[in-house]
Amino acid sequence: MSAGHHQLYRAGDTPVHRLPPQCKLAAVAVFALVVVATPREWFAAFGAYALLLAGVAVTARVPAGSVLRRMVIEIPFVLFALAIPFIGTGERVQVAGLSLSLPGLWAAWNILAKATLGVVASILLAATTEPRMLLLGARRLRLPPMLVQIAMFMLRYMDVILEEMRRMRVARESRGFTARDARHIPVVARSAGALFIRSYERGERVHLAMLSRGYTGSMPVIQDLTPSAGQWLLAGTLPGAALALLLGTWGLRAMWGMS
Amino acid sequence: MTASLEVDRLAYAYPDGTQALFGVDLRIERGERVALLGPNGAGKTTLVMHLNGILTAGHGTVTVAGLPVSKDSLKEIRRRVGLVFQDPDDQLFMPTVRDDVAFGPANLGLRGEELQQRVKDALTRVGMLEAIDRPPHHLSFGQRRRVAVATVLAMEPEILVLDEPSSNLDPASRRELAEILRSLDVTVLMVTHDLPYALELCERSLILSGGVIAADGPTRTILSDAALLAGHRLELPYGFTVP
Ligand SMILES: Nc1ncnc2c1ncn2[C@@H]1O[C@H](COP(=O)(O)OP(=O)(O)O)[C@@H](O)[C@H]1O
Ligand SMILES: [Mg+2]
């Protein structure tokens, strides 16, 4: 019962790792907003954002290879983006004998560039922040406490539930059952129902255990994570630089009379 | 001196009408270790749930170190009564051992260094300090049960109540837990089917049967009375005789 869902995190002791989680969450959110707000024709700005992220990765000692491996979650976006130039309408261009839609190409580039920057920023966040710290950070940023608590229990009970599922499967199979075709769906569905009831009952027992230790509806503050001004400043480097780039580019273009 | 725990004519029926307790009387002095024995369905868990106000008495009273259990005293009662549940996975719900042990005292208002010290002390008492930053699900079952004990010790309870503490433990973990329980200087009420464990740890035993206390006396005397045990569906393990 290994903790497969913790694999995004890479333990370390760098300035990025040490930042309080809510600073990093806020930094990534603002960075993503700046990226999204950047007009798609400003190629140089996107290149500069990528360099900024590379700087964060170097500081956090997160190797490029591990970032790339984690980028598989972006594949659905990539496939979607690749389809657009073919199905898009409007003016068409010929590339290597293929007729592609020009607005489609722009749209694909827009999605790919922005999604990639956002995904890499999130990967860096997850690689340098333990999942439970992310949740504490989310709580400090005043995200809905109920959602944060649910996520916290998922984090804690994922393995317990997976283990229960595994035991039920072993129990089925040791009595000669293997799910092979559609006729077996009712059996598996009944197991799923039993699993749901077990999880529900566990939830009730956990609730009693929480009440027994003085729970009154909100999670107590266990670690004080109040960031210093310096930590906010440090976390602000990434979105700050990106914002400066965006505004700077915009200013320069206005001065040169480009739109 | 006021008793650690006093239960007076406690009766309770579940909402569906099942009458589980029919008037339970018991008194446990400070520093005693008492075993609560009884067959399945005797009402042991129901009784335990009354001790910290999870269930509210239909009739009768529960008093912890002089304070009656009531709606207004719940917060203090839950500090005084440390309940260790049967399945440590129910008890350990936080992502790390440190957060879990801190949960109770943090609810009591402790913060910062004082809170961290409380956590370390409690883990030291159960010999689990080195696991402080590990997630509970990476510990063995026996270790999880010890951490579960620490989560309530951290609240500095007046009385520790354990529901089936030796269930699912291998012999070594069972012995280690016994050593820990013996080393603690708190009042203990231990619910169990494990009669040798009761004999090892508790001088005094109660038998709860059919929703009333059917026997109360020295554990050795109770376990030597074969007719009494048989009358309440309790059995010593094969080959075991009270020494
Ligand atoms: N939630 C419930 N609703 C109705 N009856 C219950 C409930 N829980 C327990 N009981 C009944 O109350 C009696 C005492 O149960 P319990 O306290 O769990 O016994 P023990 O822990 O000694 O095995 C049993 O007859 C049981 O069926
Ligand atoms: Mg029970």
Side-chain angles (χ1 to χ4, degrees):
Chain A
M1 80 185 205
S2 83
H5 52 282
H6 301 305
Q7 65 197 2
L8 284 175
Y9 178 65
R10 291 177 57 95
D13 188 30
T14 70
V16 185
H17 284 83
R18 280 195 296 270
L19 276 178
Q22 65 267 46
C23 300
K24 286 187 267 190
L25 270 169
V28 168
V30 176
F31 176 77
L33 282 179
V34 172
V35 168
V36 170
T38 307
R40 57 192 186 187
E41 309 81 45
W42 298 5
F43 297 111
F46 290 109
Y49 296 155
L51 284 179
L52 286 176
L53 287 181
V56 174
V58 170
T59 316
R61 305 221 179 87
V62 180
S66 92
V67 175
L68 286 176
R69 268 196 308 280
R70 284 150 206 209
M71 282 180 66
V72 289
I73 55 165
E74 209 197 325
I75 287 176
F77 286 99
V78 175
L79 292 180
F80 175 62
L82 286 181
I84 303 176
F86 293 96
I87 58 184
T89 52
E91 190 184 336
R92 304 202 70 90
V93 288
Q94 300 295 321
V95 179
L98 295 171
S99 163
L100 300 177
S101 143
L102 192 58
L105 276 173
W106 274 116
W109 153 252
N110 193 34
I111 290 175
L112 273 186
K114 292 178 179 178
T116 305
L117 288 166
V119 165
V120 171
S122 309
I123 288 171
L124 290 174
L125 173 67
T128 58
T129 319
E130 283 175 76
R132 74 185 187 96
M133 293 304 277
L134 274 178
L135 294 174
L136 286 181
R139 202 171 124 218
R140 291 303 299 259
L141 290 177
R142 301 188 189 285
L143 265 66
M146 201 43 79
L147 288 182
V148 177
Q149 280 186 38
I150 289 171
M152 204 163 89
F153 289 125
M154 276 176 57
L155 192 63
R156 166 65 181 87
Y157 286 102
M158 188 74 83
D159 283 335
V160 176
I161 291 173
L162 287 177
E163 175 63 19
E164 249 160 43
M165 267 165 72
R166 195 190 59 78
R167 280 204 303 267
M168 288 165 77
R169 202 194 63 232
V170 169
R172 280 199 309 265
E173 288 176 1
S174 58
R175 280 177 281 159
F177 176 86
T178 39
R180 263 184 312 263
D181 60 52
R183 277 171 304 156
H184 293 137
I185 286 178
V187 177
V188 177
R190 265 197 299 282
S191 294
L195 183 70
F196 175 78
I197 289 171
R198 283 192 202 184
S199 304
Y200 181 82
E201 287 173 348
R202 181 181 297 283
E204 283 188 326
R205 292 196 306 272
V206 170
H207 185 68
L208 291 183
M210 293 172 74
L211 289 179
S212 297
R213 283 194 278 150
Y215 177 73
T216 50
S218 66
M219 282 293 184
V221 181
I222 286 169
Q223 262 160 315
D224 191 18
L225 291 169
T226 310
S228 63
Q231 286 173 317
W232 274 119
L233 217 60
L234 182 57
T237 322
L238 172 73
L243 188 62
L245 264 162
L246 177 67
L247 295 178
T249 314
W250 179 73
L252 281 176
R253 295 175 77 104
M255 252 168 34
W256 297 100
M258 310 187 330
S259 68
Chain B
M1 209 177 89
T2 50
S4 260
L5 176 69
E6 216 176 336
V7 177
D8 189 31
R9 283 172 294 165
L10 177 68
Y12 180 79
Y14 280 99
D16 70 353
T18 314
Q19 183 85 27
L21 301 177
F22 288 88
V24 171
D25 285 295
L26 64 92
R27 185 183 159 95
I28 297 175
E29 302 300 335
R30 178 159 295 167
E32 266 194 299
R33 273 200 305 269
V34 178
L36 181 68
L37 313 173
N40 282 330
K44 301 182 299 292
T45 301
T46 309
L47 174 59
V48 163
M49 302 281 217
H50 278 86
L51 302 184
N52 74 349
I54 287 178
L55 294 179
T56 314
H59 182 83
T61 55
V62 176
T63 312
V64 181
L67 180 67
V69 175
S70 74
K71 281 262 176 306
D72 305 322
S73 63
L74 273 191
K75 189 174 166 152
E76 176 59 18
I77 288 292
R78 285 176 181 168
R79 188 195 69 71
R80 291 187 186 187
V81 179
L83 220 63
V84 179
F85 286 72
Q86 189 168 349
D87 183 350
D89 275 328
D90 296 342
Q91 183 119 19
L92 306 176
F93 44 79
M94 297 288 276
T96 67
V97 167
R98 179 195 299 273
D99 290 357
D100 224 304
V101 179
F103 182 85
N107 279 326
L108 298 175
L110 265 64
R111 294 288 181 269
E113 200 39 53
E114 201 189 356
L115 178 62
Q116 294 303 325
Q117 198 53 50
R118 199 54 99 79
V119 171
K120 286 182 202 145
D121 289 346
L123 285 170
T124 307
R125 287 167 83 187
V126 300
M128 288 299 297
L129 187 59
E130 58 306 344
I132 188 165
D133 284 315
R134 297 180 59 194
H137 57 266
H138 286 180
L139 304 176
S140 75
F141 193 86
Q143 290 175 320
R144 270 181 278 166
R145 176 140 305 148
R146 273 149 68 183
V147 173
V149 172
T151 63
V152 299
L153 285 181
M155 299 177 78
E156 301 191 337
E158 163 79 26
I159 178 167
L160 191 62
V161 180
L162 304 118
D163 201 350
E164 303 279 353
S166 62
S167 62
N168 296 324
L169 291 185
D170 60 32
S173 312
R174 187 173 173 277
R175 177 183 47 74
E176 281 162 5
L177 183 68
E179 280 162 15
I180 288 162
L181 292 177
R182 214 178 289 113
S183 75
L184 300 175
D185 153 39
V186 299
T187 313
V188 173
L189 177 64
M190 188 171 102
V191 173
T192 190
H193 285 129
D194 184 344
L195 303 185
Y197 214 52
L199 182 64
E200 193 182 337
L201 282 168
C202 306
E203 283 105 71
R204 182 179 156 210
S205 290
L206 309 169
I207 295 181
L208 182 69
S209 184
V212 293
I213 299 292
D216 178 352
T219 308
R220 184 175 296 275
T221 314
I222 288 189
L223 297 197
S224 304
D225 189 339
L228 176 69
L229 295 182
H232 300 291
R233 294 186 55 79
L234 291 167
E235 277 177 29
L236 289 165
Y238 177 75
F240 185 91
T241 46
V242 178

